[in-house]
Amino acid sequence: MKKSWLRLIGLSTIVTMLTGCDPLLVLDPKGPQAQVQAKDIMLSIGIMSFIVLIVFVLLAYMLVKFRASKQSPDYKPPHIKGSTKVEIICVGIPVLIVAYLSFISVESNYKVESTPEKYKQEEPLIIYASTSNWKWHFSYPEEDIETVNYLYIPAERPIEFKLYSYGPITSFWIPQLGGQKYAMADMVNTLHLAADLPGEYMGRNANFNGKGFAENTFNVTAVTQDEFADWVKEVKATAEPLTEEKFNTLLEPGHVGQSTYTGTHLTFLPAPEGENGGHQHGTSHTKDHASQQNDH
Amino acid sequence: MEYFERFAIPHPSPAIYASMVAIGLTVIAIIVGLTYFKKWGYLWHEWLTTVDHKRIGIMYLISALLMLFRGGADAIMMRAQMAVPDNTLLDAQHYNEIFTTHGTVMIIFMAMPFIMAFMNYIVPLQIGARDVAFPRLNALSFWLFFMGAMLLNISFVIGGSPDAGWTNYFPLANNEFSQSVGTNYYLFALQISGLGTLITGINMIVTILKMRAPGMTLMKMPMFTWSSLVANVIIVFAFPVLTVALTMGTFDRLFATNFFTTSDGGMDMLWANFFWVWGHPEVYILILPAFGIYSEIISTFSGRNLYGYKSMVGSMVIISFLSFLVWTHHFFTMGQGALTNSIFSITTMAIAVPTGVKIFNWLFTLWKGKIVFTTPMLYSMLFIPTFTIGGVTGVMLGMSAADYQYHNTMFLVAHFHMVIIPGVVFAMLAGLHYYWPKMFGFMLNEKIGKWTAWIIAMSTLLAFMPMFFSGLDGQARRMYTYSASTGFGLWNMLSFIGAIGLTIGFILIVYNVIYSIRYSPRNVGSDPWDARTLEWATPSPVPYYNFAKVPHVISTEALWDAKYRQHDLFPEPYEKIHMPNNSGVPFILGCIFFAWGFSFVFGMWIPTILTTIGIFICMAHRSLEKDPGHYVPVEKVKATESKLRGSQL
């Protein structure tokens, strides 16, 4: 049938465009985790195209061969129950494909859920990334600094993002460094990322969280490890300290620009982990603190 | 909030006042029209009080088509807003309300009643029954669904629409972050219509298990009945979860409990779990009956029996089982660790196997057949390739590591539209053209029908294929705008053009109905497609008692055997037929439920208490009432039959 061929052409265009000159962000990885994911995506596109092709060819064959207009008027189609042989093939091959993809999926999952193999020997940099409507707070506890709406990270060093949220569920996503994970109010999620190269990357919240969602983005700048150390020094020398009052005003809903502080909010408002975790259902002082804030 | 503020009075947007006036005028026009043509009695006796499964099916069908246009209007507004970068057609709040109602309306109030329409109309006919097991409960189901739908639809003029997404994730949907009554509307509209769906689920299961014609064993049921049985079993298992989740959400919003809050021990991911434990099976509740319709159509127009009947049944049972084991793939990114993700990744991809079996069985049903390209067949043939693209991208999404990159992006939006539109909407349109002569006694125009099918299929591809690219390029779903530098402009413009194409397609369907009412020949006979199953053994339109004589069945294709293998389908003599009486109570109870939901939405407690009492009075009335139904005497059956069948007998 004519249309099936059109589809085929369409599909091959997709594949060529995906691998083509102007790469789509996700398929243009700049870090080991995003590389694993891009590889999985391309592999699955390949295998799936094969399946689509089989279905299209079979459909085209049936429609061309068995249409009534090409048959004698007295042809009576037979009664065919089915065939074990055909069904073994129709079940068996998909089972093999799914088994193979499952294997790849599980393996990749463990990879993206841990420190990238490539940078295992490096000490990971820990950054707490929290959201409030509609902004991002990045705390560097070891460096004792905090930024709003932008990230500075060293390249070629693994980074452990600790994600949580003040309010609605958000999702931390830097497409070129690796896939996203949720930031929620009552627990801390860990996301392992790393950048292979210095550069500028787009980051955003990917999970809908109300009116300001579209602009809930942040810039990521990956620099060499020396430049990162310099940047930390400079921030410490020049930035204002982050006071509790200042942080409370930042938590109020709205958009703010980028800003930098010395000190982190973790000292006076710890992340919901360990004894401060929402799942502990405890009565720790921080929780009372948090609920008082919601009352304002 | 101040009392009147909750009703959004005065309202900031003049468009809302315009809508109020339009709704008011429409209501007045309907009332005047009914009075002028003296149709109040007809409406009440023939439709509002009916317990006839066919009439209820038709009312579901009309509601579904209306909601298709409501949800479609939302869709076209969304695509128009996204068509160019930095567009200011809609503001963020508007856009959020529109995509929320688009999703809710399309799934709950368009797709669900569409499948309910066919289940109601076809299943009793296909199994040789005279009605469903509980006809009056069936009427109640419809009115509950309908009132739920109306409740959601008035939200935008009174109080504001829900704006937290159709998934309504807490804590975003909680009072703190969603202050208008919109989410209350969502909770009560879904609760009321969900009750109706659950009742239908029980009703249909009992009907199929207890009311089949003599000789029709389970493995001789036509495929649509099988798919309905499986879908209704899923309904009965899945919908109570929704009921509980909505109740907890309601308590959080209205009675200050803390199930899903951010403090005091609330767990926000609990809502996501509940929602998708219902929500994922819901997808299969929609798609399985659609698969059933395709099976009937493909086999009819291939002139052949369905290939691999047993594996078709088996695959549906496996899908229904797996549908409850995959809900976690909706939040692979929730931080549940590699092990959990791996397990759900595998169960998710496993669904592709039974689904693939069905695709191959349809392909082999074409084999050695005699394929006739009617409109329903054209939809089915367009479904196979389009759905395959949607299906394989589902496998891609099932790979959890890769899903970290697809999650919440336009890639996902493209995937589920590419499965639900070809899977459910094409099937329903195919079914609409296929069963139209049975429902109304004349055919829809074939030429317009085929044009429409092509336009809808091509527009679907144009509207949703670009989203795969914009998703991989980093466009998150539900963004109301984007800057030109992102490069999403081209993809979104293509989608918008596709959306316009879809609009033209759906308008053509209306045109086709109007055209065919005026020009299509009547008296097309009871079996215009040379079909194979029992529903075509009745006259068209079907008399209210369905079958004058009880049919006897020897295979899955009862009518085919009667036509071409000299099987005596109706060996029994005429007998008096027992039928249920009409009742106004289901409609009245539906209206009370509407008032109950509305009072609850605004926290008006006195009306809430009064309507709650009203609900219990209606239930008590039914418990104490003596209504044995009535008998249709043999002479009347004979007279009706000879009138309807004319020379055919």
Side-chain angles (χ1 to χ4, degrees):
Chain A
M1 212 175 130
K2 195 171 58 189
K3 198 180 52 56
S4 307
W5 291 109
L6 278 178
R7 293 271 168 64
L8 261 184
I9 295 163
L11 192 87
S12 46
T13 337
I14 296 164
V15 177
T16 42
M17 283 179 87
L18 286 176
T19 50
C21 45
D22 192 18
L24 303 167
L25 278 193
V26 164
L27 300 178
D28 183 25
K30 299 291 184 201
Q33 311 296 52
Q35 252 156 27
V36 170
Q37 288 158 338
K39 226 176 79 189
D40 281 8
I41 291 170
M42 288 315 294
L43 175 82
S44 60
I45 288 177
I47 295 176
M48 292 301 122
S49 306
F50 170 70
I51 293 172
V52 170
L53 189 74
I54 290 178
V55 170
F56 281 26
V57 167
L58 266 176
L59 180 66
Y61 171 78
M62 300 293 180
L63 292 182
V64 169
K65 187 96 196 278
F66 300 109
R67 58 195 311 173
S69 54
K70 287 198 172 174
Q71 289 163 340
S72 70
D74 54 349
Y75 171 66
K76 292 253 181 305
H79 185 95
I80 308 168
K81 274 226 159 99
S83 134
T84 322
K85 226 189 266 172
V86 173
E87 276 170 35
I88 286 172
I89 296 170
C90 290
V91 174
I93 293 178
V95 163
L96 289 178
I97 292 172
V98 166
Y100 175 67
L101 286 177
S102 299
F103 176 75
I104 301 282
S105 173
V106 172
E107 196 194 20
S108 315
N109 214 317
Y110 278 91
K111 271 189 204 158
V112 298
E113 282 288 341
S114 55
T115 312
E117 196 61 43
K118 210 166 157 184
Y119 303 117
K120 271 266 158 68
Q121 72 290 354
E122 293 267 346
E123 181 68 17
L125 172 70
I126 292 171
I127 301 175
Y128 282 77
S130 55
T131 45
S132 61
N133 277 1
W134 292 275
K135 52 201 109 54
W136 287 92
H137 312 271
F138 299 110
S139 318
Y140 299 71
E142 287 158 45
E143 287 73 19
D144 199 33
I145 56 174
E146 181 154 329
T147 63
V148 175
N149 286 340
Y150 78 96
L151 256 180
Y152 236 70
I153 53 167
E156 296 185 271
R157 183 175 167 189
I159 297 163
E160 258 182 68
F161 286 104
K162 301 282 187 185
L163 311 168
Y164 63 101
S165 145
Y166 294 94
I169 300 172
T170 53
S171 192
F172 177 89
W173 187 31
I174 309 172
Q176 288 187 286
L177 298 189
Q180 56 189 291
K181 203 172 256 189
Y182 278 176
M184 296 178 290
D186 49 3
M187 66 184 276
V188 168
N189 273 335
T190 306
L191 182 63
H192 303 268
L193 295 182
D196 285 334
L197 291 168
E200 295 269 340
Y201 308 112
M202 186 274 282
R204 67 164 298 118
N205 162 27
N207 193 57
F208 176 64
N209 64 339
K211 264 189 210 170
F213 169 64
E215 294 92 5
N216 202 181
T217 57
F218 57 92
N219 294 330
V220 186
T221 312
V223 293
T224 62
Q225 305 213 15
D226 293 340
E227 280 170 332
F228 180 75
D230 291 343
W231 173 76
V232 172
K233 251 182 242 161
E234 194 195 315
V235 168
K236 289 209 146 174
T238 58
E240 300 275 314
L242 182 64
T243 61
E244 198 166 349
E245 257 168 284
K246 177 71 195 166
F247 188 68
N248 285 342
T249 57
L250 280 176
L251 282 182
E252 278 161 23
H255 291 290
V256 298
Q258 302 184 346
S259 51
T260 318
Y261 305 93
T262 55
T264 72
H265 72 263
L266 299 170
T267 50
F268 48 83
L269 199 57
E273 59 187 342
E275 61 162 4
N276 301 310
H279 288 165
Q280 311 300 318
H281 297 266
T283 50
S284 69
H285 67 283
T286 46
K287 184 166 290 163
D288 293 340
H289 194 107
S291 58
Q292 270 164 27
Q293 274 193 353
N294 290 337
D295 291 341
H296 301 320
Chain B
M1 241 194 278
E2 291 295 319
Y3 188 76
F4 282 107
E5 267 179 40
R6 291 183 303 171
F7 299 94
I9 298 171
H11 203 281
S13 163
I16 300 298
Y17 289 118
S19 308
M20 284 181 184
V21 172
I23 292 172
L25 288 177
T26 313
V27 170
I28 291 168
I30 291 171
I31 291 172
V32 169
L34 284 171
T35 315
Y36 182 79
F37 293 107
K38 300 198 174 63
K39 290 290 185 192
W40 283 107
Y42 169 77
L43 186 68
W44 178 260
H45 293 296
E46 301 291 320
W47 294 96
L48 300 185
T49 62
T50 188
V51 292
D52 182 344
H53 70 95
K54 299 180 289 297
R55 297 232 154 142
I56 291 170
I58 287 170
M59 291 194 287
Y60 269 119
L61 188 67
I62 294 167
S63 318
L65 288 170
L66 286 176
M67 289 298 111
L68 177 69
F69 283 92
R70 159 74 215 262
D74 288 337
I76 197 85
M77 281 193 277
M78 276 156 69
R79 292 328 317 162
Q81 163 66 19
M82 295 306 283
V84 287
D86 298 311
N87 199 357
T88 52
L89 185 69
L90 302 170
D91 62 25
Q93 180 60 27
H94 247 114
Y95 189 81
N96 297 348
E97 293 184 10
I98 285 169
F99 75 67
T100 302
T101 41
H102 168 74
T104 314
V105 164
M106 285 303 202
I107 296 287
I108 310 280
F109 301 120
M110 186 283 286
M112 282 302 272
F114 231 143
I115 64 155
M116 290 296 172
F118 289 110
M119 275 188 204
N120 262 288
Y121 201 96
I122 306 305
V123 167
L125 292 175
Q126 229 175 28
I127 61 174
R130 283 178 173 141
D131 207 324
V132 293
F134 309 109
R136 198 195 276 197
L137 216 48
N138 199 23
L140 178 63
S141 290
F142 171 75
W143 289 112
L144 287 178
F145 147 75
F146 184 79
M147 294 303 170
M150 289 304 109
L151 194 60
L152 192 89
N153 272 281
I154 60 162
S155 68
F156 84 105
V157 282
I158 310 171
S161 292
D163 59 358
W166 90 279
T167 49
N168 203 51
Y169 271 14
F170 283 81
L172 178 63
N174 215 341
N175 292 327
E176 191 185 347
F177 301 103
S178 193
Q179 290 173 348
S180 85
V181 294
T183 304
N184 295 355
Y185 270 116
Y186 173 96
L187 294 168
F188 282 95
L190 262 65
Q191 187 71 281
I192 292 170
S193 62
L195 281 176
T197 307
L198 183 57
I199 295 172
T200 300
I202 297 165
N203 207 342
M204 283 288 159
I205 292 175
V206 178
T207 305
I208 295 171
L209 292 182
K210 302 296 279 188
M211 295 178 69
R212 277 166 289 138
M216 186 180 281
T217 59
L218 280 178
M219 290 310 279
K220 286 198 175 90
M221 292 197 306
M223 197 48 63
F224 180 70
T225 300
W226 251 117
S227 68
S228 299
L229 176 63
V230 175
N232 282 298
V233 170
I234 305 179
I235 285 177
V236 169
F237 277 95
F239 267 74
V241 183
L242 179 70
T243 306
V244 169
L246 291 171
T247 307
M248 289 163 85
T250 305
F251 270 67
D252 267 13
R253 282 186 64 90
L254 292 172
F255 306 124
T257 54
N258 290 293
F259 292 113
F260 310 125
T261 52
T262 55
S263 55
D264 299 313
M267 274 176 79
D268 41 12
M269 61 274 270
L270 185 62
W271 169 267
N273 273 285
F274 279 147
F275 186 85
W276 287 115
V277 167
W278 160 77
H280 202 87
E282 165 72 13
V283 176
Y284 294 95
I285 294 169
L286 298 177
I287 202 102
L288 290 178
F291 284 175
I293 287 193
Y294 284 132
S295 300
E296 302 296 343
I297 290 173
I298 291 174
S299 137
T300 297
F301 297 110
S302 302
R304 256 206 53 197
N305 65 314
L306 190 67
Y307 187 90
Y309 176 89
K310 279 184 187 164
S311 59
M312 281 299 219
V313 173
S315 62
M316 282 195 299
V317 173
I318 292 169
I319 288 174
S320 72
F321 179 70
L322 285 175
S323 75
F324 284 95
L325 299 180
V326 300
W327 83 93
T328 302
H329 72 222
H330 291 272
F331 38 86
F332 276 147
T333 60
M334 209 173 249
Q336 53 228 338
L339 178 65
T340 310
N341 277 0
S342 299
I343 291 166
F344 283 93
S345 177
I346 294 168
T347 54
T348 301
M349 287 192 280
I351 288 196
V353 177
T355 313
V357 167
K358 301 185 85 68
I359 299 267
F360 286 115
N361 278 337
W362 288 317
L363 288 172
F364 288 119
T365 302
L366 301 172
W367 183 52
K368 290 195 177 173
K370 197 171 184 179
I371 301 165
V372 187
F373 278 102
T374 57
T375 306
M377 187 62 167
L378 184 58
Y379 274 112
S380 311
M381 293 301 104
L382 289 167
F383 147 78
I384 291 178
T386 331
F387 180 83
T388 306
I389 296 174
V392 295
T393 50
V395 177
M396 291 169 66
L397 280 155
M399 295 182 71
S400 50
D403 182 70
Y404 285 19
Q405 292 281 26
Y406 304 129
H407 189 77
N408 270 327
T409 69
M410 295 309 279
F411 190 95
L412 168 78
V413 176
H415 154 71
F416 70 71
H417 282 88
M418 290 284 287
V419 275
I420 291 183
I421 294 181
V424 181
V425 180
F426 286 17
M428 295 306 136
L429 296 178
L432 185 77
H433 286 81
Y434 185 58
Y435 285 114
W436 192 271
K438 180 80 349 197
M439 290 173 170
F440 302 106
F442 62 94
M443 308 271 253
L444 288 175
N445 184 283
E446 277 288 296
K447 198 175 170 196
I448 305 173
K450 283 183 195 166
W451 269 100
T452 312
W454 279 107
I455 289 172
I456 288 181
M458 290 303 129
S459 304
T460 303
L461 286 176
L462 184 58
F464 299 106
M465 292 302 280
M467 294 180 186
F468 287 119
F469 298 100
S470 63
L472 287 176
D473 205 15
Q475 186 183 353
R477 71 203 281 221
R478 296 169 170 175
M479 285 161 50
Y480 87 102
T481 190
Y482 54 89
S483 70
S485 61
T486 53
F488 305 151
L490 171 69
W491 308 122
N492 286 290
M493 180 50 88
L494 290 174
S495 282
F496 177 56
I497 298 169
I500 292 174
L502 279 167
T503 313
I504 295 171
F506 289 119
I507 290 171
L508 274 176
I509 289 174
V510 178
Y511 173 69
N512 194 356
V513 170
I514 296 167
Y515 180 91
S516 305
I517 288 175
R518 294 186 62 180
Y519 301 114
S520 268
R522 269 44 182 181
N523 305 322
V524 287
S526 63
D527 180 24
W529 306 113
D530 194 14
R532 316 174 74 88
T533 39
L534 212 46
E535 69 269 30
W536 300 97
T538 58
S540 301
V542 189
Y544 59 98
Y545 50 73
N546 294 356
F547 295 92
K549 302 173 178 179
V550 175
H552 283 230
V553 175
I554 52 165
S555 75
T556 56
E557 302 177 309
L559 180 63
W560 191 259
D561 298 332
K563 284 193 290 194
Y564 300 104
R565 289 168 64 194
Q566 280 80 47
H567 166 60
D568 187 3
L569 192 52
F570 298 110
E572 300 202 351
Y574 283 113
E575 276 179 0
K576 60 180 180 175
I577 297 172
H578 181 255
M579 294 301 289
N581 290 330
N582 281 3
S583 165
V585 178
F587 173 70
I588 293 166
L589 190 52
C591 292
I592 298 176
F593 258 103
F594 178 86
W596 176 80
F598 186 81
S599 324
F600 240 125
V601 165
F602 289 98
M604 301 184 292
W605 302 118
I606 293 168
T608 306
I609 293 166
L610 291 177
T611 45
T612 309
I613 294 169
I615 290 167
F616 280 105
I617 289 175
C618 285
M619 287 158 75
H621 171 265
R622 178 53 171 159
S623 305
L624 302 171
E625 177 190 31
K626 284 201 171 64
D627 178 11
H630 65 276
Y631 279 98
V632 186
V634 176
E635 298 71 44
K636 204 177 163 197
V637 176
K638 276 185 178 167
T640 318
E641 284 295 298
S642 65
K643 200 180 107 199
L644 284 171
R645 289 187 184 266
S647 56
Q648 282 182 37
L649 267 185

